[in-house]
Amino acid sequence: MTAQDLYKALERVNERPKPYEFSTASELWCDPYRAEQMLKAHLDPDNGMASRTGAFIQRSLDWMTRRFDIGRETAITDFGCGPGLYTNALARTGARVTGVDFSSRSISYARSVAEQEGLDVRYEQADYLAYRMEAGSCDLATLIFCDLCPLSPSQRAGLLTKICDGLSEKGLLLLDVCTSAMFEAANEASNFSFRHLNGFWAEGDYYGFQRSFKYEEESLLLDKYTIVEPERVYEIYNWLQCFSQMRLREELAASGLKILEWYSNVAGDSYDPQAHQMAVVAARA
Ligand SMILES: C[S@@+](CC[C@H](N)C(=O)[O-])C[C@H]1O[C@@H](n2cnc3c(N)ncnc32)[C@H](O)[C@@H]1O
């Protein structure tokens, strides 16, 4: 390889894409090897990467059960349910729960737990952007761990409108997002390492480059990963839209939703403008 070839390859690593130019969510979550790594992370109660820690999830479930008076009659749809850490726990209250996720590994794990415990949960392996929800059927929709943030503006609008249509008359939506405070604290950076993230990206040897970008105008963050295996090179893009209260209020309003309550997380802690995440409870406007 000439110096020119190497330079060009590194320029590609360093290249800033346009906002939301590439979408690689299914490569991130559904590739069989990575889905296995994700599952290990979800199931490790001390690892807050794929799901929040076990202690937080328990606190969150306790708060949700009280706040939404969850019980036998509650129809819940959990979007991006992963391996069912929330979904199965909510089903243990007797609620009628549906979990939607496009990762077959996560869904098969969630189903196996439900079967072992004899829980009545419906698991749908589906892209929630294409998932059809019965109109007016859902008392509580959840989108937990900032799952709105990697979606493009049109994907967000489509998902929120679908959720709004799916809510029953008194139905509520609980979701959390990254905040403007998180955007302010983020820096552009780059790093690379051999078997980056301890072998998270691929089974064999590889080099992983991580390039973090900030898009000031859009309040958007991107972690772009370039993975160089001996026989192939590919990129994974992890977008994170950060929200001010006004922006979140406007986006939800454009999809027919009205925010009723603000929190700093899905465990019901008081809203904190300095927090890097915030959670809201919304209803049909
Ligand atoms: C950050 S994890 C959160 C999992 C779960 N909500 C929790 O807090 O434990 C995001 C989940 O959303 C799923 N996901 C991401 N995009 C999706 C899509 N378009 N359709 C369905 N599932 C999706 C991923 O497979 C993953 O399980």
Side-chain angles (χ1 to χ4, degrees):
M1 180 192 257
T2 66
Q4 264 180 346
D5 291 340
L6 182 56
Y7 191 83
K8 261 193 209 152
L10 289 172
E11 277 205 315
R12 186 165 168 187
V13 167
N14 206 30
E15 207 166 64
R16 177 190 299 262
K18 294 194 191 83
Y20 300 108
E21 187 176 349
F22 303 106
S23 170
T24 53
S26 75
E27 285 90 330
L28 176 63
W29 292 100
C30 304
D31 165 84
Y33 174 79
R34 278 192 285 282
E36 203 58 49
Q37 306 311 302
M38 286 292 191
L39 183 62
K40 277 189 209 149
H42 281 296
L43 300 182
D44 175 352
D46 299 322
N47 183 331
M49 190 189 88
S51 291
R52 294 208 174 85
T53 63
F56 179 88
I57 291 176
Q58 192 50 57
R59 204 156 69 75
S60 176
L61 284 163
D62 292 345
W63 174 76
M64 285 169 65
T65 308
R66 288 194 309 275
R67 165 61 189 86
F68 300 104
D69 198 16
I70 293 172
R72 294 222 157 267
E73 295 309 311
T74 324
I76 304 175
T77 304
D78 186 15
F79 288 89
C81 63
L85 301 180
Y86 281 86
T87 332
N88 283 331
L90 294 169
R92 285 182 200 113
T93 67
R96 290 179 286 127
V97 191
T98 301
V100 184
D101 203 289
F102 63 3
S103 161
S104 66
R105 186 66 191 98
S106 279
I107 288 289
S108 70
Y109 177 87
R111 273 196 190 123
S112 72
V113 171
E115 273 164 24
Q116 271 165 29
E117 294 188 32
L119 297 171
D120 186 14
V121 193
R122 202 171 72 159
Y123 278 110
E124 303 268 4
Q125 189 207 325
D127 182 340
Y128 50 51
L129 301 174
Y131 178 70
R132 281 175 180 271
M133 231 182 145
E134 198 188 321
S137 63
C138 179
D139 301 319
L140 176 63
T142 55
L143 187 63
I144 292 178
F145 212 176
C146 304
D147 276 13
L148 199 62
C149 300
L151 304 178
S152 70
S154 64
Q155 290 173 328
R156 298 198 295 270
L159 179 59
L160 290 169
T161 302
K162 178 192 349 230
I163 291 176
C164 179
D165 294 345
L167 290 180
S168 61
E169 208 182 316
K170 291 193 174 159
L172 296 171
L173 163 65
L174 171 68
L175 62 76
D176 53 358
V177 293
C178 301
T179 61
S180 305
M182 176 164 172
F183 183 80
E184 294 309 324
N187 291 312
E188 295 210 331
S190 52
N191 69 69
F192 93 98
S193 58
F194 181 61
R195 291 187 57 72
H196 186 254
L197 297 182
N198 299 319
F200 171 78
W201 295 105
E203 199 166 4
D205 288 346
Y206 64 88
Y207 289 91
F209 296 75
Q210 180 174 358
R211 181 74 174 87
S212 306
F213 296 101
K214 281 182 88 165
Y215 298 77
E216 295 288 339
E217 207 173 305
E218 292 80 6
S219 202
L220 175 67
L221 301 174
L222 168 66
D223 280 324
K224 170 184 169 184
Y225 301 93
T226 304
I227 308 304
V228 183
E229 296 184 27
E231 303 297 334
R232 64 180 187 140
V233 179
Y234 52 94
E235 285 109 15
I236 304 279
Y237 297 86
N238 199 18
W239 302 97
L240 267 192
Q241 177 67 58
C242 297
F243 289 86
S244 62
Q245 283 188 294
M246 191 171 78
R247 180 178 200 136
L248 189 60
R249 193 185 290 116
E250 285 176 359
E251 283 207 13
L252 266 64
S255 291
L257 292 158
K258 177 178 67 182
I259 295 178
L260 306 178
E261 294 161 28
W262 298 89
Y263 299 97
S264 67
N265 56 39
V266 291
D269 290 334
S270 306
Y271 174 75
D272 172 0
Q274 302 308 318
H276 285 194
Q277 292 170 1
M278 62 184 165
V280 295
V281 175
R284 292 168 78 141

